[in-house]
């Protein structure tokens, strides 16, 4: 039977999906139009739209599905109206939650208004697609998509290796290159260049080959390293608060080294290539607790290289050194951060060591999933770092099949990274659990909750 509560749920789902689609359009339109020299409004707009989109996603997920592992989850029920209310869901503790008929009608009217006027207004305002807006950040850039069609039919496309730093990026690139006996690519051409000191691009404007002299190159998909945006470590908040548009633009930003005939010296170059050449992605994920400490260790390594004696003594490879570092970072950056990040978010994470690195980590994965699944809509292979240790052969073979690369049988040995959970107290781990669950989108949390079981 088709009860009134069933109709209620269907109306809610349809309404929120329409609202979600409209918010997505608003997000990319408004963010694309925001001036880059007004960062505060730019960042706040991005946060607002991301929160609205995530809010709609979360409610749709609750209404449509049931999480059997979560004691706080809901089950949907049928029933009759009671005092002008419709029973829409039931807590596991037995309490029934109602929604009024008036609210359902109001929700539907809002949906009709948003669904009608928002797309119409945006279509009149700008016929340009989100992908084209990214390329238009630099009017001198000829789209890589056009270059690809001008070339041979064997010209490969790009497979992004998307990773928050210190998640196993270098090993993954090395593994794929070794096993396939082919060179891969990177958005960071200054890390790898030819014998003449110049970065060699895959396309005219990047990305760049890791080994320009390699005899074999992929014919279908070139695995390409990109950290996108919002990952900087010891930095001002303005440098890591990202919007969907700015994040995606950074994903497609290629930086290299070129020779200038005018100045007769090497110079850094930077271009944003068209995302039409990206036809798939590998999303690399590492345990957030291990990732944060690993980032700290990388910072220690840089301090040691600079021979900063006072810091070397304070920042040791111990939990105490990690605590000292995190405390110092809070003293330096938290006051300025408070004007850009919502106070409720800061209160949620304030007791976590290096809490803004957790914020950066979760924000990064939220935006990475948004970019690949909601905007580009490309096939994405999710790779958890620990899978190399748990099931190496299956993990490597699955990755190669996704990239359509051969397996020569030559395996790059894997050395398991250390677990750093002993750097945190049980209370801090619980706080990390709660904060991550609250900050993460439903998709991000689906892939991160394994680290808090």
């Amino acid at each position: 039977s088709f009860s009134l509560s069933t109709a209620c749920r269907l109306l809610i789902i349809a309404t929120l999906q329409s609202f979600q689609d409209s918010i997505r359009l608003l997000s990319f339109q408004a963010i694309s139009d925001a001036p880059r020299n007004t960062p505060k409004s730019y960042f706040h707009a991005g946060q607002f739209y991301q929160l609205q989109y995530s809010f709609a996603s979360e409610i749709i997920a609750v209404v449509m599905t049931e999480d059997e592992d979560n004691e706080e989850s809901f089950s949907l029920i049928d029933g009759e109206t009671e005092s002008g209310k419709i029973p829409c869901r039931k807590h596991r503790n037995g309490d029934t939650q109602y929604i009024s008929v008036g609210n359902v009608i109001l929700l539907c009217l809002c949906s009709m208004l948003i669904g009608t006027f928002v797309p119409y207004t945006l279509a009149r305002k700008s016929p340009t697609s989100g992908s084209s807006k990214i390329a238009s950040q630099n009017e001198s850039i000829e789209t890589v998509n056009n270059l690809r069609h001008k070339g041979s039919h064997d010209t490969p496309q790009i497979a992004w290796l998307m990773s928050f730093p210190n998640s196993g990026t270098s090993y993954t690139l090395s593994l794929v290159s070794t096993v396939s006996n082919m060179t891969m690519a990177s958005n960071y051409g200054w890390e790898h260049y030819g014998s003449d000191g110049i970065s060699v691009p895959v396309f005219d404007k990047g990305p760049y080959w890791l080994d320009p002299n390699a005899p074999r190159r992929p014919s279908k998909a070139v695995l390409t390293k990109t950290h996108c945006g919002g990952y900087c470590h010891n930095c001002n908040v303005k440098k890591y608060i990202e919007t969907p548009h700015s994040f995606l633009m950074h994903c497609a930003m290629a930086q290299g080294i070129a020779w200038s005939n005018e100045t007769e010296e090497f110079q850094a170059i930077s271009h944003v290539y068209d995302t039409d050449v990206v036809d798939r992605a590998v999303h690399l994920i590492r345990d957030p607790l291990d990732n944060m400490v690993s980032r700290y260790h990388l910072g220690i390594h840089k301090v040691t290289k600079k021979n900063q004696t006072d810091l070397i003594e304070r920042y040791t490879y111990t939990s105490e050194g990690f605590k000292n570092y995190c405390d110092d970072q809070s003293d330096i950056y938290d006051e300025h951060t408070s004007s850009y990040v919502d106070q409720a978010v800061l209160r949620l994470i304030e007791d976590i060591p290096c809490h803004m690195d957790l914020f950066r980590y979760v924000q990064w994965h939220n935006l990475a999933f948004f970019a690949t699944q909601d905007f580009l809509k490309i096939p994405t292979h999710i790779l958890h770092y620990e899978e190399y240790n748990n099931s190496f052969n299956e993990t490597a073979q699955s990755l190669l099949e996704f990239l359509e690369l051969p397996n020569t049988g030559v395996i790059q040995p894997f050395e398991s990274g250390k677990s750093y959970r002993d750097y945190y107290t049980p209370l801090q781990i619980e706080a990390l659990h709660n904060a991550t669950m609250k900050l993460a989108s439903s998709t991000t949390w689906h892939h991160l909750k394994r680290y808090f079981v």
Side-chain angles (χ1 to χ4, degrees):
S1 63
F2 190 77
S3 69
L4 190 55
S5 74
T6 300
C8 160
R9 292 195 300 275
L10 293 175
L11 285 171
I12 293 173
I13 292 168
T15 299
L16 288 171
Q17 286 177 334
S18 175
F19 172 71
Q20 190 180 37
D21 289 339
S22 298
I23 284 295
R24 187 189 313 173
L25 288 171
L26 278 169
S27 172
F28 285 104
Q29 178 67 53
I31 291 169
S32 297
D33 291 344
R36 296 291 290 181
N37 60 354
T38 55
K40 230 175 182 182
S41 61
Y42 180 78
F43 295 145
H44 287 164
Q47 285 183 318
F48 170 77
Y49 288 124
Q50 284 176 245
L51 287 172
Q52 296 303 314
Y53 186 88
S54 297
F55 169 75
S57 299
E58 293 289 347
I59 296 183
I60 291 172
V62 168
V63 176
M64 295 182 68
T65 63
E66 178 180 354
D67 186 356
E68 296 180 356
D69 297 328
N70 186 354
E71 294 181 357
E72 300 298 324
S73 63
F74 303 103
S75 59
L76 301 177
I77 62 171
D78 285 326
E80 300 302 325
T81 58
E82 180 178 330
S83 301
K85 297 181 179 179
I86 302 172
C88 283
R89 51 187 181 180
K90 185 176 183 180
H91 289 274
R92 291 192 181 279
N93 62 12
D95 294 338
T96 300
Q97 187 164 353
Y98 294 85
I99 184 171
S100 69
V101 176
N103 282 343
V104 173
I105 295 173
L106 182 62
L107 201 60
C108 292
L109 289 174
C110 289
S111 173
M112 292 172 61
L113 290 172
I114 293 172
T116 301
F117 291 107
V118 170
Y120 173 74
T121 303
L122 295 182
R124 290 190 60 189
K125 188 173 182 181
S126 173
T128 313
S129 69
S131 178
S132 298
K133 291 182 195 303
I134 294 171
S136 68
Q137 293 293 318
N138 185 339
E139 295 181 356
S140 66
I141 296 176
E142 180 178 8
T143 65
V144 181
N145 187 49
N146 290 336
L147 295 173
R148 174 165 54 86
H149 289 302
K150 292 176 184 177
S152 70
H153 66 281
D154 292 328
T155 302
Q157 288 197 297
I158 298 301
W160 274 342
L161 175 58
M162 306 174 72
S163 64
F164 193 73
N166 295 87
S167 298
T169 317
S170 298
Y171 175 76
T172 301
L173 278 172
S174 179
L175 170 69
V176 172
S177 295
T178 302
V179 176
S180 66
N181 194 26
M182 295 182 183
T183 186
M184 298 300 140
S186 172
N187 276 0
Y188 315 106
W190 40 265
E191 295 180 336
H192 309 272
Y193 39 79
S195 56
D196 56 0
I198 297 176
S199 306
V200 180
V202 177
F203 299 106
D204 186 48
K205 302 297 183 182
Y208 300 94
W209 293 110
L210 293 180
D211 183 0
N213 300 317
R216 301 185 65 201
R217 297 174 176 178
S219 61
K220 293 187 177 180
V222 182
L223 188 63
T224 300
K225 171 183 174 180
T226 179
H227 292 313
C228 300
Y231 61 85
C232 64
H233 204 194
N234 305 326
C235 58
N236 186 288
V237 64
K238 292 181 182 180
K239 295 185 178 180
Y240 62 77
I241 294 291
E242 293 278 351
T243 66
H245 175 272
S246 66
F247 183 83
L248 191 55
M249 184 182 70
H250 286 127
C251 291
M253 183 174 290
Q255 305 163 38
I257 302 295
W259 177 258
S260 172
N261 291 325
E262 182 178 343
T263 61
E264 294 188 344
E265 60 183 8
F266 292 106
Q267 65 177 16
I269 57 174
S270 178
H271 298 285
V272 178
Y273 53 85
D274 198 297
T275 54
D276 284 347
V277 299
V278 182
D279 75 343
R280 68 193 80 182
V282 175
H283 187 148
L284 190 56
I285 303 174
R286 187 178 184 182
D287 183 336
L289 281 74
D290 293 340
N291 187 278
M292 290 164 64
V293 177
S294 181
R295 296 245 288 172
Y296 160 65
H297 286 167
L298 180 62
I300 293 178
H301 179 68
K302 293 178 179 179
V303 166
T304 304
K305 286 181 66 176
K306 294 179 181 178
N307 198 29
Q308 296 173 284
T309 308
D310 55 331
L311 294 181
I312 292 174
E313 294 176 355
R314 180 168 174 76
Y315 300 155
T316 57
Y317 286 89
T318 64
S319 58
E320 185 63 28
F322 179 58
K323 180 181 182 302
N324 290 338
Y325 173 80
C326 293
D327 289 345
D328 291 347
Q329 292 301 299
S330 295
D331 292 341
I332 296 171
Y333 295 113
D334 271 10
E335 182 179 355
H336 187 68
T337 298
S338 63
S339 63
Y340 283 86
V341 180
D342 187 89
Q343 292 299 307
V345 172
L346 289 178
R347 286 193 296 271
L348 185 67
I349 62 178
E350 61 184 357
D351 295 329
I352 298 171
C354 289
H355 47 266
M356 291 315 298
D357 213 27
L358 177 70
F359 177 87
R360 288 186 284 265
Y361 174 95
V362 177
Q363 175 194 238
W364 191 96
H365 287 290
N366 284 346
L367 291 170
F369 280 118
F370 185 93
T372 56
Q373 297 185 7
D374 294 287
F375 187 62
L376 295 180
K377 298 184 184 297
I378 54 177
T380 304
H381 181 79
I382 308 301
L383 175 57
H384 290 267
Y385 179 72
E386 68 274 8
E387 290 173 354
Y388 284 131
N389 189 55
N390 299 336
S391 52
F392 179 83
N393 290 334
E394 294 83 352
T395 299
Q397 185 58 37
S398 176
L399 178 59
L400 290 171
E401 289 176 358
F402 177 76
L403 297 171
E404 299 182 81
L405 291 172
N407 187 342
T408 64
V410 179
I411 299 298
Q412 176 79 8
F414 175 71
E415 296 182 6
S416 177
K418 183 182 176 183
S419 174
Y420 298 108
R421 286 184 172 259
D422 58 344
Y423 276 54
Y424 306 87
T425 67
L427 287 177
Q428 288 172 341
I429 293 177
E430 181 63 24
L432 276 160
H433 178 184
N434 294 331
T436 303
M437 182 169 58
K438 295 290 185 181
L439 293 173
S441 66
S442 57
T443 304
T444 299
W445 179 242
H446 173 74
H447 291 285
L448 295 184
K449 62 184 179 182
R450 62 167 64 188
Y451 300 114
F452 299 99
V453 175

